[in-house]
mmCIF file of all heavy atoms in Angstrom:
data_model
loop_
_atom_site.group_PDB
_atom_site.id
_atom_site.type_symbol
_atom_site.label_atom_id
_atom_site.label_comp_id
_atom_site.label_asym_id
_atom_site.label_seq_id
_atom_site.Cartn_x
_atom_site.Cartn_y
_atom_site.Cartn_z
ATOM 1 N N PHE A 78 -105.045 -76.704 64.243
ATOM 2 C CA PHE A 78 -105.743 -76.482 65.508
ATOM 3 C C PHE A 78 -104.941 -77.189 66.584
ATOM 4 O O PHE A 78 -104.593 -78.366 66.435
ATOM 5 C CB PHE A 78 -107.167 -77.027 65.468
ATOM 6 C CG PHE A 78 -107.875 -76.970 66.799
ATOM 7 C CD1 PHE A 78 -108.192 -75.756 67.372
ATOM 8 C CD2 PHE A 78 -108.188 -78.137 67.487
ATOM 9 C CE1 PHE A 78 -108.828 -75.689 68.603
ATOM 10 C CE2 PHE A 78 -108.834 -78.089 68.717
ATOM 11 C CZ PHE A 78 -109.150 -76.861 69.280
ATOM 12 N N VAL A 79 -104.598 -76.485 67.659
ATOM 13 C CA VAL A 79 -103.715 -77.028 68.691
ATOM 14 C C VAL A 79 -104.484 -77.165 70.005
ATOM 15 O O VAL A 79 -105.020 -76.188 70.530
ATOM 16 C CB VAL A 79 -102.491 -76.121 68.911
ATOM 17 C CG1 VAL A 79 -101.537 -76.759 69.926
ATOM 18 C CG2 VAL A 79 -101.757 -75.866 67.592
ATOM 19 N N ARG A 80 -104.540 -78.411 70.496
ATOM 20 C CA ARG A 80 -105.073 -78.655 71.835
ATOM 21 C C ARG A 80 -103.911 -78.668 72.809
ATOM 22 O O ARG A 80 -102.847 -79.234 72.523
ATOM 23 C CB ARG A 80 -105.827 -79.979 71.898
ATOM 24 C CG ARG A 80 -107.118 -80.001 71.110
ATOM 25 C CD ARG A 80 -107.825 -81.342 71.274
ATOM 26 N NE ARG A 80 -108.338 -81.518 72.625
ATOM 27 C CZ ARG A 80 -108.821 -82.686 73.094
ATOM 28 N NH1 ARG A 80 -108.811 -83.760 72.328
ATOM 29 N NH2 ARG A 80 -109.292 -82.772 74.329
ATOM 30 N N ILE A 81 -104.107 -78.045 73.969
ATOM 31 C CA ILE A 81 -103.042 -77.883 74.952
ATOM 32 C C ILE A 81 -103.470 -78.555 76.248
ATOM 33 O O ILE A 81 -104.505 -78.210 76.828
ATOM 34 C CB ILE A 81 -102.742 -76.390 75.194
ATOM 35 C CG1 ILE A 81 -102.434 -75.678 73.866
ATOM 36 C CG2 ILE A 81 -101.603 -76.222 76.184
ATOM 37 C CD1 ILE A 81 -102.382 -74.170 73.980
ATOM 38 N N PHE A 82 -102.667 -79.514 76.698
ATOM 39 C CA PHE A 82 -102.951 -80.235 77.934
ATOM 40 C C PHE A 82 -101.911 -79.905 78.993
ATOM 41 O O PHE A 82 -100.720 -79.837 78.705
ATOM 42 C CB PHE A 82 -102.932 -81.745 77.697
ATOM 43 C CG PHE A 82 -104.029 -82.258 76.805
ATOM 44 C CD1 PHE A 82 -103.854 -82.276 75.430
ATOM 45 C CD2 PHE A 82 -105.229 -82.697 77.330
ATOM 46 C CE1 PHE A 82 -104.853 -82.746 74.588
ATOM 47 C CE2 PHE A 82 -106.242 -83.177 76.506
ATOM 48 C CZ PHE A 82 -106.058 -83.193 75.122
ATOM 49 N N ASN A 83 -102.376 -79.728 80.234
ATOM 50 C CA ASN A 83 -101.476 -79.667 81.377
ATOM 51 C C ASN A 83 -101.148 -81.092 81.815
ATOM 52 O O ASN A 83 -101.831 -82.048 81.441
ATOM 53 C CB ASN A 83 -102.133 -78.904 82.530
ATOM 54 C CG ASN A 83 -102.455 -77.471 82.161
ATOM 55 O OD1 ASN A 83 -101.602 -76.751 81.646
ATOM 56 N ND2 ASN A 83 -103.681 -77.048 82.430
ATOM 57 N N ASN A 84 -100.133 -81.229 82.665
ATOM 58 C CA ASN A 84 -99.710 -82.581 83.023
ATOM 59 C C ASN A 84 -100.676 -83.309 83.953
ATOM 60 O O ASN A 84 -100.517 -84.501 84.201
ATOM 61 C CB ASN A 84 -98.287 -82.593 83.587
ATOM 62 C CG ASN A 84 -98.124 -81.738 84.823
ATOM 63 O OD1 ASN A 84 -99.050 -81.524 85.593
ATOM 64 N ND2 ASN A 84 -96.912 -81.242 85.028
ATOM 65 N N ASP A 85 -101.706 -82.605 84.465
ATOM 66 C CA ASP A 85 -102.731 -83.291 85.249
ATOM 67 C C ASP A 85 -103.902 -83.749 84.384
ATOM 68 O O ASP A 85 -104.897 -84.249 84.894
ATOM 69 C CB ASP A 85 -103.227 -82.406 86.394
ATOM 70 C CG ASP A 85 -104.045 -81.202 85.915
ATOM 71 O OD1 ASP A 85 -104.092 -80.933 84.693
ATOM 72 O OD2 ASP A 85 -104.637 -80.516 86.779
ATOM 73 N N GLY A 86 -103.782 -83.544 83.052
ATOM 74 C CA GLY A 86 -104.821 -83.970 82.130
ATOM 75 C C GLY A 86 -105.826 -82.898 81.784
ATOM 76 O O GLY A 86 -106.633 -83.075 80.863
ATOM 77 N N SER A 87 -105.806 -81.771 82.495
ATOM 78 C CA SER A 87 -106.723 -80.673 82.179
ATOM 79 C C SER A 87 -106.251 -79.948 80.922
ATOM 80 O O SER A 87 -105.084 -80.037 80.540
ATOM 81 C CB SER A 87 -106.819 -79.698 83.349
ATOM 82 O OG SER A 87 -105.552 -79.104 83.613
ATOM 83 N N GLU A 88 -107.165 -79.220 80.288
ATOM 84 C CA GLU A 88 -106.817 -78.468 79.076
ATOM 85 C C GLU A 88 -106.609 -77.001 79.392
ATOM 86 O O GLU A 88 -107.314 -76.413 80.221
ATOM 87 C CB GLU A 88 -107.901 -78.627 78.012
ATOM 88 C CG GLU A 88 -107.842 -79.947 77.286
ATOM 89 C CD GLU A 88 -108.556 -79.923 75.949
ATOM 90 O OE1 GLU A 88 -108.162 -79.147 75.054
ATOM 91 O OE2 GLU A 88 -109.528 -80.684 75.803
ATOM 92 N N ALA A 89 -105.642 -76.404 78.709
ATOM 93 C CA ALA A 89 -105.349 -74.977 78.826
ATOM 94 C C ALA A 89 -105.787 -74.268 77.551
ATOM 95 O O ALA A 89 -105.856 -74.880 76.479
ATOM 96 C CB ALA A 89 -103.857 -74.762 79.061
ATOM 97 N N GLY A 90 -106.070 -72.985 77.678
ATOM 98 C CA GLY A 90 -106.450 -72.209 76.508
ATOM 99 C C GLY A 90 -105.259 -71.674 75.749
ATOM 100 O O GLY A 90 -105.326 -71.466 74.538
ATOM 101 N N ALA A 91 -104.157 -71.437 76.469
ATOM 102 C CA ALA A 91 -102.984 -70.831 75.836
ATOM 103 C C ALA A 91 -101.720 -71.317 76.521
ATOM 104 O O ALA A 91 -101.724 -71.639 77.710
ATOM 105 C CB ALA A 91 -103.067 -69.310 75.912
ATOM 106 N N CYS A 92 -100.639 -71.367 75.755
ATOM 107 C CA CYS A 92 -99.303 -71.664 76.289
ATOM 108 C C CYS A 92 -98.303 -71.030 75.337
ATOM 109 O O CYS A 92 -98.002 -71.584 74.281
ATOM 110 C CB CYS A 92 -99.066 -73.168 76.396
ATOM 111 S SG CYS A 92 -97.396 -73.594 76.946
ATOM 112 N N GLY A 93 -97.814 -69.868 75.709
ATOM 113 C CA GLY A 93 -96.929 -69.131 74.815
ATOM 114 C C GLY A 93 -95.621 -69.846 74.549
ATOM 115 O O GLY A 93 -95.136 -69.884 73.411
ATOM 116 N N ASN A 94 -95.020 -70.439 75.591
ATOM 117 C CA ASN A 94 -93.772 -71.166 75.386
ATOM 118 C C ASN A 94 -93.997 -72.386 74.503
ATOM 119 O O ASN A 94 -93.176 -72.714 73.638
ATOM 120 C CB ASN A 94 -93.177 -71.591 76.735
ATOM 121 C CG ASN A 94 -92.649 -70.411 77.532
ATOM 122 O OD1 ASN A 94 -92.033 -69.499 76.984
ATOM 123 N ND2 ASN A 94 -92.899 -70.426 78.835
ATOM 124 N N GLY A 95 -95.121 -73.064 74.706
ATOM 125 C CA GLY A 95 -95.452 -74.214 73.870
ATOM 126 C C GLY A 95 -95.699 -73.829 72.424
ATOM 127 O O GLY A 95 -95.305 -74.551 71.499
ATOM 128 N N MET A 96 -96.338 -72.670 72.219
ATOM 129 C CA MET A 96 -96.595 -72.226 70.845
ATOM 130 C C MET A 96 -95.300 -71.894 70.127
ATOM 131 O O MET A 96 -95.185 -72.118 68.918
ATOM 132 C CB MET A 96 -97.528 -71.013 70.835
ATOM 133 C CG MET A 96 -98.983 -71.317 71.201
ATOM 134 S SD MET A 96 -99.719 -72.698 70.271
ATOM 135 C CE MET A 96 -99.424 -72.210 68.585
ATOM 136 N N ARG A 97 -94.294 -71.370 70.839
ATOM 137 C CA ARG A 97 -93.001 -71.128 70.196
ATOM 138 C C ARG A 97 -92.370 -72.441 69.765
ATOM 139 O O ARG A 97 -91.768 -72.533 68.694
ATOM 140 C CB ARG A 97 -92.059 -70.352 71.125
ATOM 141 C CG ARG A 97 -92.473 -68.916 71.384
ATOM 142 C CD ARG A 97 -91.300 -68.040 71.816
ATOM 143 N NE ARG A 97 -90.436 -68.674 72.782
ATOM 144 C CZ ARG A 97 -90.686 -68.768 74.093
ATOM 145 N NH1 ARG A 97 -91.810 -68.269 74.576
ATOM 146 N NH2 ARG A 97 -89.827 -69.352 74.911
ATOM 147 N N CYS A 98 -92.506 -73.478 70.607
ATOM 148 C CA CYS A 98 -91.966 -74.787 70.246
ATOM 149 C C CYS A 98 -92.674 -75.339 69.013
ATOM 150 O O CYS A 98 -92.030 -75.827 68.068
ATOM 151 C CB CYS A 98 -92.109 -75.761 71.417
ATOM 152 S SG CYS A 98 -91.069 -75.371 72.852
ATOM 153 N N VAL A 99 -93.999 -75.269 69.009
ATOM 154 C CA VAL A 99 -94.781 -75.741 67.856
ATOM 155 C C VAL A 99 -94.384 -74.970 66.606
ATOM 156 O O VAL A 99 -94.152 -75.548 65.534
ATOM 157 C CB VAL A 99 -96.287 -75.589 68.136
ATOM 158 C CG1 VAL A 99 -97.096 -75.774 66.852
ATOM 159 C CG2 VAL A 99 -96.742 -76.590 69.187
ATOM 160 N N ALA A 100 -94.303 -73.645 66.737
ATOM 161 C CA ALA A 100 -93.975 -72.810 65.581
ATOM 162 C C ALA A 100 -92.605 -73.169 65.019
ATOM 163 O O ALA A 100 -92.424 -73.244 63.796
ATOM 164 C CB ALA A 100 -94.018 -71.338 65.967
ATOM 165 N N SER A 101 -91.633 -73.421 65.897
ATOM 166 C CA SER A 101 -90.287 -73.738 65.411
ATOM 167 C C SER A 101 -90.292 -75.021 64.592
ATOM 168 O O SER A 101 -89.592 -75.125 63.575
ATOM 169 C CB SER A 101 -89.308 -73.851 66.582
ATOM 170 O OG SER A 101 -89.555 -75.003 67.360
ATOM 171 N N ILE A 102 -91.093 -76.010 65.002
ATOM 172 C CA ILE A 102 -91.197 -77.271 64.256
ATOM 173 C C ILE A 102 -91.844 -77.043 62.898
ATOM 174 O O ILE A 102 -91.343 -77.505 61.865
ATOM 175 C CB ILE A 102 -92.003 -78.307 65.065
ATOM 176 C CG1 ILE A 102 -91.220 -78.746 66.307
ATOM 177 C CG2 ILE A 102 -92.350 -79.517 64.203
ATOM 178 C CD1 ILE A 102 -92.009 -79.626 67.254
ATOM 179 N N VAL A 103 -92.956 -76.312 62.888
ATOM 180 C CA VAL A 103 -93.696 -76.118 61.641
ATOM 181 C C VAL A 103 -92.959 -75.169 60.703
ATOM 182 O O VAL A 103 -93.019 -75.318 59.480
ATOM 183 C CB VAL A 103 -95.137 -75.652 61.930
ATOM 184 C CG1 VAL A 103 -95.918 -75.483 60.633
ATOM 185 C CG2 VAL A 103 -95.852 -76.662 62.832
ATOM 186 N N PHE A 104 -92.242 -74.195 61.253
ATOM 187 C CA PHE A 104 -91.384 -73.355 60.401
ATOM 188 C C PHE A 104 -90.373 -74.223 59.662
ATOM 189 O O PHE A 104 -90.124 -74.043 58.469
ATOM 190 C CB PHE A 104 -90.640 -72.315 61.241
ATOM 191 C CG PHE A 104 -91.451 -71.108 61.623
ATOM 192 C CD1 PHE A 104 -91.364 -70.576 62.899
ATOM 193 C CD2 PHE A 104 -92.293 -70.486 60.712
ATOM 194 C CE1 PHE A 104 -92.105 -69.463 63.270
ATOM 195 C CE2 PHE A 104 -93.039 -69.369 61.068
ATOM 196 C CZ PHE A 104 -92.938 -68.861 62.349
ATOM 197 N N GLU A 105 -89.781 -75.177 60.383
ATOM 198 C CA GLU A 105 -88.790 -76.059 59.788
ATOM 199 C C GLU A 105 -89.419 -76.929 58.702
ATOM 200 O O GLU A 105 -88.824 -77.167 57.650
ATOM 201 C CB GLU A 105 -88.165 -76.939 60.875
ATOM 202 C CG GLU A 105 -86.991 -77.781 60.411
ATOM 203 C CD GLU A 105 -85.745 -76.962 60.099
ATOM 204 O OE1 GLU A 105 -85.612 -75.832 60.624
ATOM 205 O OE2 GLU A 105 -84.909 -77.458 59.319
ATOM 206 N N GLN A 106 -90.643 -77.401 58.939
ATOM 207 C CA GLN A 106 -91.322 -78.267 57.975
ATOM 208 C C GLN A 106 -91.727 -77.516 56.713
ATOM 209 O O GLN A 106 -91.666 -78.058 55.607
ATOM 210 C CB GLN A 106 -92.570 -78.884 58.616
ATOM 211 C CG GLN A 106 -92.281 -79.872 59.730
ATOM 212 C CD GLN A 106 -93.551 -80.296 60.451
ATOM 213 O OE1 GLN A 106 -94.606 -79.680 60.309
ATOM 214 N NE2 GLN A 106 -93.458 -81.374 61.229
#
Side-chain angles (χ1 to χ4, degrees):
F78 173 66
V79 184
R80 292 182 69 190
I81 306 169
F82 294 87
N83 299 310
N84 59 28
D85 69 351
S87 62
E88 282 200 62
C92 176
N94 290 319
M96 288 309 306
R97 291 203 317 280
C98 292
V99 167
S101 70
I102 292 172
V103 181
F104 280 138
E105 187 70 23
Q106 293 172 346

